Amino acid sequence: MTHTVVSINNLTCRYGDFTAVKDLSFEVNQGEIFGFLGPNGAGKTTTLRTMMDFIRPDGGSIEVFGIDTRAEPEAIKARVGFLSSELVLWENWNGEQYIRWLEKVRHKPMLEEAQRLAQLLDFEMKRSLQGMSTGMKRKIGVIAALAHKPELLILDEPSIGLDPLMQQVFEELMIEVREEGRTVLLSSHDLSEVEAICDRVAIIREGELQTVENVANLTRLAFRWMNLTFKDEAAPIEGFDRINGVTDISTENGELRMRVSGDADMDTLIKHIAQYPVKDLQFDHPTLEEIFLTYYGREA
Amino acid sequence: MRPLFNKAFRDYRRTLLSLAIGLGAYGAMTLLLFPTLVEQRAELEQLLDSMPPQFIRMFYQGDISEFDFTDPAIFYHARYVIWVLLIVGGMLTAHALNTIIGAERNNMMDLSLSLPVTRREFLAARFLNVAAVILIILAVSFVVFAIGTQVVDEFDVGLGELALGTIGGFLPLMAQASITFALACIARSSSNWAGPVAFGYFFGGYLLMAFAQTVDLIDTISNVFLFKYYDASDIIRNGVDVTNWLVLIVVIVVSTSIAFWGFERKEIGV
């Protein structure tokens, strides 16, 4: 049976007259990596900060591990690893001192796990945090969030500043967390990262939820690229462009390429194609980025 | 809460050390001046008599009819304690603002509040840190002037009276810090009014007190300023004025309660 770790119910957050999050609802299940996608200002960080009880909802509620975030935030935070999008560190310490201090606050041993993570992320624990690059600070942020082995990781733009090699290590760490039955909720702009590791994604736009979908389903169902090769010369674009749900038609090297939406008039399309001698037909699934842009009404 | 307090205290220790050394050295130098003042008492009185009382009020905020610079208690208050109040009070005001609004603006508070600590624990650690800083500064001041009573014959003050007069400074400093915490906790981090109000109240209060005995209106207004309720020289000579201490304790309790109430409801970083 699927166990719900995070349950967001009709969440609404306002900053004065501006509504940052409108009636948002979705759930995150145990043992999944859940991606939270949206451009700047979409409401991702507001949602995550509400989850951490930094800000309070104007409507609705959030439950983490079945506990209302307003009722017992400390009980939730004891089981959560959090990484802020704009991480700032106490620079008068080194990484080891920071982790030792966290051990005292969390009453949990962390140093051994932190040293393992530091080795994987190529981070020097005894180096002063002062003057470190954004990427290096990000690494100690990731280490601090993971080292107490939390049941839930809430990560706001976790891989900002990490080089491609470290991004790969980070993705492997997230997969390791999932394999241990723990849960990850991450917001990201890096769609390739989300596509590579997330099981499900929520897409948010101007504070409103657009969809919550399995990543595999999302890339399969949203739309497809149809590539047609004909025995003779390519079929004319005319005719295809009048079919409902068929757009972005182009020809190149005798191949006809078109975008076919999930609700296209397939019967008319197939009958129209059948008028021509077809040599080959292929479907390409869109990338997550193309789907993401579709939700924002832009050309993919 | 102990790790939070240790962290806050550790972060402030260099400032505290500099402050303690600086004020201790200033106290020692001030003490060395005192025998000269006593020696030149006649000339000094002549000089002071030639000055308008309003001018003297700028430097001494007690009863001007009792003003005698060669009185050790008045000398201690006018030449040392008032500067400790202004310098330490100003620094603690900045520190309290930075601890709350500054930490919200630079996202440092996210780091602390993402940990399993209550907001009450977070703020209590900050209050305790401020209290510890004040006590250490006052302890250094006491030690310097206690040594002074043994070294400088003219500085004839009983150790008990000196201790009481010095420790009395805890209340106005803690009251100023509590008021600043209260303002910082109820203000949004995006607003800019808490700092000017806190600094304005403190330094404006000091400046207005300078005119309090000469302008009736200001004398009435001066009741709302902290400087009205603490005079180390008065404590040393006449003992503790319980009413003054009660007023300051009430200010501390009320502003601390507002700070905790406000911080519990605060939208962090908004």
Side-chain angles (χ1 to χ4, degrees):
Chain A
M1 193 180 116
T2 310
H3 180 64
T4 302
V5 173
V6 177
S7 177
I8 299 179
N9 310 301
N10 307 109
L11 182 72
T12 298
C13 296
R14 294 189 194 95
Y15 299 119
D17 295 334
F18 174 70
T19 304
V21 175
K22 293 175 205 164
D23 208 25
L24 185 74
S25 298
F26 65 83
E27 290 183 342
V28 180
N29 299 321
Q30 187 186 353
E32 72 174 340
I33 303 177
F34 191 93
F36 195 31
L37 295 175
N40 292 332
K44 303 188 301 292
T45 298
T46 297
T47 305
L48 299 187
R49 287 175 64 80
T50 310
M51 209 176 282
M52 294 302 291
D53 193 43
F54 297 160
I55 50 180
R56 274 67 190 266
D58 293 292
S61 64
I62 302 180
E63 286 186 0
V64 180
F65 308 118
I67 304 166
D68 191 305
T69 53
R70 292 301 321 277
E72 287 182 80
E74 300 78 42
I76 293 169
K77 288 170 191 175
R79 298 162 71 183
V80 167
F82 176 72
L83 179 65
S84 168
S85 61
E86 293 175 46
L87 179 67
V88 185
L89 294 166
W90 295 303
E91 297 200 339
N92 51 353
W93 278 350
N94 64 34
E96 190 174 310
Q97 286 172 316
Y98 178 42
I99 297 296
R100 283 191 187 281
W101 182 78
L102 288 176
E103 282 182 326
K104 287 178 192 158
V105 177
R106 290 194 173 276
H107 308 291
K108 272 185 179 180
M110 292 171 67
L111 193 59
E112 195 179 329
E113 176 66 2
Q115 280 164 339
R116 182 186 78 87
L117 294 167
Q119 203 167 15
L120 291 171
L121 287 163
D122 193 24
F123 180 83
E124 176 52 61
M125 289 289 281
K126 288 198 185 290
R127 199 182 134 188
S128 168
L129 299 177
Q130 195 160 29
M132 273 190 177
S133 67
T134 309
M136 293 303 274
K137 284 181 183 169
R138 211 76 195 147
K139 287 180 186 179
I140 186 66
V142 170
I143 292 167
L146 280 164
H148 64 105
K149 297 238 170 200
E151 293 165 61
L152 170 66
L153 277 161
I154 299 175
L155 310 172
D156 197 0
E157 305 286 354
S159 55
I160 290 175
L162 295 182
D163 61 47
L165 191 64
M166 287 302 117
Q167 277 192 27
Q168 196 183 337
V169 173
F170 170 76
E171 288 173 15
E172 286 166 6
L173 283 171
M174 293 302 102
I175 290 165
E176 181 186 302
V177 167
R178 177 175 58 193
E179 283 171 353
E180 290 170 2
R182 296 187 280 146
T183 310
V184 181
L185 168 58
L186 63 90
S187 79
S188 181
H189 281 112
D190 188 344
L191 297 162
S192 60
E193 172 185 86
V194 170
E195 196 169 9
I197 62 172
C198 287
D199 302 296
R200 291 193 304 146
V201 292
I203 296 179
I204 185 172
R205 177 189 183 185
E206 293 172 357
E208 289 182 284
L209 187 70
Q210 301 299 301
T211 187
V212 179
E213 189 56 87
N214 183 299
V215 172
N217 282 347
L218 201 64
T219 53
R220 187 164 53 84
L221 294 176
F223 67 87
R224 290 146 290 177
W225 288 104
M226 181 187 277
N227 301 301
L228 285 161
T229 315
F230 298 95
K231 282 180 181 165
D232 302 321
E233 58 189 38
I237 289 172
E238 290 76 29
F240 285 101
D241 57 4
R242 286 196 291 273
I243 299 170
N244 198 16
V246 176
T247 54
D248 302 314
I249 308 164
S250 63
T251 53
E252 194 176 345
N253 299 327
E255 185 180 272
L256 190 66
R257 180 177 168 83
M258 65 194 83
R259 186 172 134 154
V260 182
S261 70
D263 58 353
D265 184 353
M266 291 302 286
D267 186 59
T268 306
L269 176 61
I270 289 165
K271 283 173 181 164
H272 189 75
I273 292 169
Q275 296 173 35
Y276 303 97
V278 176
K279 185 180 172 186
D280 193 19
L281 185 153
Q282 285 184 333
F283 283 104
D284 290 338
H285 292 297
T287 63
L288 193 57
E289 186 165 5
E290 287 172 320
I291 295 166
F292 181 72
L293 292 173
T294 302
Y295 278 100
Y296 285 88
R298 287 160 53 183
E299 190 68 23
Chain B
M1 192 173 70
R2 184 177 285 182
L4 294 175
F5 170 77
N6 290 344
K7 173 81 183 73
F9 192 73
R10 185 193 156 104
D11 288 348
Y12 209 64
R13 66 185 172 172
R14 282 186 189 150
T15 309
L16 176 61
L17 187 67
S18 312
L19 209 54
I21 290 172
L23 289 173
Y26 171 68
M29 285 191 296
T30 306
L31 267 169
L32 293 176
L33 271 177
F34 190 63
T36 315
L37 284 179
V38 174
E39 202 175 287
Q40 297 174 348
R41 182 176 185 157
E43 290 91 334
L44 192 65
E45 279 180 357
Q46 201 178 354
L47 178 68
L48 290 173
D49 284 345
S50 69
M51 289 180 178
Q54 290 89 340
F55 184 78
I56 299 168
R57 288 288 304 143
M58 294 293 288
F59 303 98
Y60 178 67
Q61 295 176 351
D63 186 350
I64 199 154
S65 62
E66 295 177 355
F67 184 70
D68 175 5
F69 226 13
T70 58
D71 180 317
I74 290 177
F75 176 80
Y76 177 56
H77 180 77
R79 289 297 305 155
Y80 182 76
V81 171
I82 201 74
W83 293 112
V84 170
L85 286 183
L86 287 172
I87 293 167
V88 178
M91 289 189 78
L92 291 179
T93 302
H95 176 65
L97 289 166
N98 193 43
T99 295
I100 306 295
I101 293 179
E104 284 184 79
R105 286 180 180 171
N106 66 20
N107 292 305
M108 200 69 92
M109 198 177 283
D110 285 12
L111 202 60
S112 301
L113 294 185
S114 66
L115 301 170
V117 293
T118 62
R119 291 190 180 201
R120 191 174 297 177
E121 285 174 321
F122 175 88
L123 194 58
R126 266 61 189 172
F127 265 87
L128 285 177
N129 176 52
V130 164
V133 166
I134 296 171
L135 288 173
I136 289 169
I137 295 288
L138 295 179
V140 169
S141 301
F142 171 73
V143 168
V144 169
F145 280 87
I147 293 169
T149 60
Q150 307 302 310
V151 177
V152 180
D153 292 339
E154 293 81 355
F155 193 71
D156 185 20
V157 178
L159 285 182
E161 289 78 12
L162 183 67
L164 213 53
T166 307
I167 204 70
F170 176 82
L171 294 175
L173 287 172
M174 198 64 214
Q176 174 61 22
S178 306
I179 289 167
T180 310
F181 272 121
L183 293 171
C185 288
I186 60 173
R188 283 178 172 261
S189 68
S190 54
S191 66
N192 291 312
W193 59 266
V197 171
F199 280 112
Y201 172 72
F202 187 65
F203 290 112
Y206 170 75
L207 293 171
L208 283 176
M209 283 296 292
F211 302 104
Q213 282 192 5
T214 48
V215 182
D216 286 344
L217 177 64
I218 295 176
D219 193 31
T220 310
I221 294 170
S222 69
N223 289 323
V224 303
F225 296 114
L226 301 173
F227 291 95
K228 173 91 173 179
Y229 303 99
Y230 173 59
D231 182 343
S233 64
D234 191 45
I235 295 173
I236 291 170
R237 289 178 303 164
N238 307 317
V240 172
D241 182 332
V242 178
T243 311
N244 283 349
W245 279 30
L246 277 176
V247 169
L248 291 171
I249 288 167
V250 168
V251 170
I252 292 170
V253 169
V254 170
S255 50
T256 301
S257 305
I258 292 171
F260 277 85
W261 177 85
F263 194 60
E264 205 59 47
R265 283 151 188 79
K266 196 169 184 49
E267 303 269 350
I268 306 297
V270 174

